[in-house]
Amino acid sequence: DALIDQIAAGEVVERPASVVKELVENALDAGARRIEIATAGGGKNLIRISDDGCGIPAAEIPLAVRRHCTSKLAGGLDAIGTLGFRGEALPSIGSVGRLSLKSRAAGSDEAYEICVEAGRPSELRPTALSRGTVIEVRDLFHAVPARLKFLKSDRAESSAITEIVRRIAIAFPGVRFELSGPDRTTTVFEAVPGDAPLPRIADVLTPDFADNAIPVDAMREDVRLRGFAGIPTYNRGNGQQQFFYVNGRPVRDKTLHSALRGAYADVLARDRHPVAVLFLELDPALVDVNVHPAKADVRFRDPGLVRGLIVGSLRQAFNEAGL
Ligand code: ADP
Ligand code: MG
């Protein structure tokens, strides 16, 4: 019922940036190559995400906005290959904001729209859309004034949205991202041909990061670590410039942050923050991404192994670079 939906929604949707994260992840799961994100009022008034992904067949649109309906769990929880899998985002958003979903499935010449307000879906209506999916969320949390009160200024919410998009964009260099709307001047991360990571990293961080970073590529017991570690004198770090990914998913994790500190312990002053972009790849069965609905946390089966890999391979890379 409506109250239970709103409580569950609070888990998935803490603030406008969490809506953006969920909707951008859906677009990526749908194979989008171009994703446009527009926001107004820090995302409280409007969030609109348009993608050119596979779209949703008409018959599945009503299911997509229902709780625990996901098209993505075919391989079971241990084999999650998509960013989403809980089937919670759209119903949660629809219970705390006014949601409109328009979609045109690949190969179909018809598009349909459904709206959800206070958790109640409308009838499916024909609409016009050339391809993909457009999701609009208006008046987020209008139904939950208590939650609205906890949000920060429009400017702060808007920069949290930018931050989420930057983090995701680094993991998908082949996808074009455009961030626009009355909240901001337009930011575009152009698609990088061949999915090369470094040009996108340079685009999202600063152009000179590439010239001041040491490439890392190491493997320990089937766990692979790749990425770029800023040289210690590259001092742009403010603690927000550490980007970690596990199987392509942006994560925040104490184990990883503390390992990075450990790796830099001998080469970086204690009051400085390293700048680094690190991608871990490992068997999905060895990492639990199912800890929290917002999915930024992870739990490694063997945190010591991951820590050892990061500290060991970064120190070795610093050594080889003569640092
Ligand atoms: P989940 O991502 O966990 O499956 P969501 O509530 O985020 O759950 O989405 C529900 C379903 O709606 C997805 O499984 C997918 O089938 C469909 N869907 C949502 N957004 C899109 C999109 N942008 N393009 C194609 N399909 C989508
Ligand atoms: Mg999803």
Side-chain angles (χ1 to χ4, degrees), residues 151-268:
L151 297 184
K152 304 208 173 101
S153 67
D154 289 5
R155 180 192 287 258
E157 293 301 335
S158 166
S159 57
I161 290 171
T162 309
E163 193 50 37
I164 287 278
V165 174
R166 292 173 75 226
R167 283 189 184 265
I168 297 177
I170 284 182
F172 295 88
V175 176
R176 179 185 190 276
F177 291 85
E178 183 175 320
L179 190 51
S180 68
D183 281 351
R184 55 184 83 244
T185 53
T186 301
T187 303
V188 177
F189 302 130
E190 291 297 350
V192 181
D195 255 333
L198 202 50
R200 172 57 59 82
I201 292 170
D203 203 2
V204 173
L205 278 91
T206 57
D208 60 337
F209 174 73
D211 305 329
N212 291 285
I214 300 167
V216 183
D217 189 346
M219 186 108 185
R220 202 179 269 194
E221 289 178 39
D222 290 341
V223 182
R224 182 155 191 202
L225 175 72
R226 279 187 290 188
F228 301 88
I231 60 171
T233 50
Y234 182 78
N235 188 26
R236 298 279 175 87
N238 57 8
Q240 299 286 355
Q241 303 278 49
Q242 299 162 359
F243 299 81
F244 296 107
Y245 300 85
V246 173
N247 294 338
R249 181 191 295 276
V251 299
R252 275 171 209 281
D253 180 81
K254 284 209 187 91
T255 303
L256 301 178
H257 278 277
S258 124
L260 190 64
R261 290 224 138 263
Y264 276 87
D266 293 340
V267 292
L268 189 67

Side-chain angles (χ1 to χ4, degrees), residues 22-32 49-51 53-57 60-61 63-66 68-73 82-93 101 103 132-135 295:
E22 294 294 334
L23 298 182
V24 169
E25 288 183 349
N26 281 347
L28 291 165
D29 283 344
I49 315 264
S50 319
D51 71 59
C54 63
I56 311 175
E60 287 173 27
I61 293 178
L63 298 177
V65 298
R66 271 209 340 237
H68 302 306
C69 277
T70 176
S71 59
K72 303 176 191 168
L73 269 184
T82 52
L83 296 164
F85 56 84
R86 291 168 170 273
E88 282 183 342
L90 294 183
S92 295
I93 296 165
L101 183 161
S103 196
T133 301
V134 180
I135 297 191
K295 300 187 298 281

Side-chain angles (χ1 to χ4, degrees), residues 117-129:
E117 246 190 85
R120 276 187 297 275
S122 70
E123 300 277 281
L124 200 59
R125 288 186 289 263
T127 188
L129 184 69

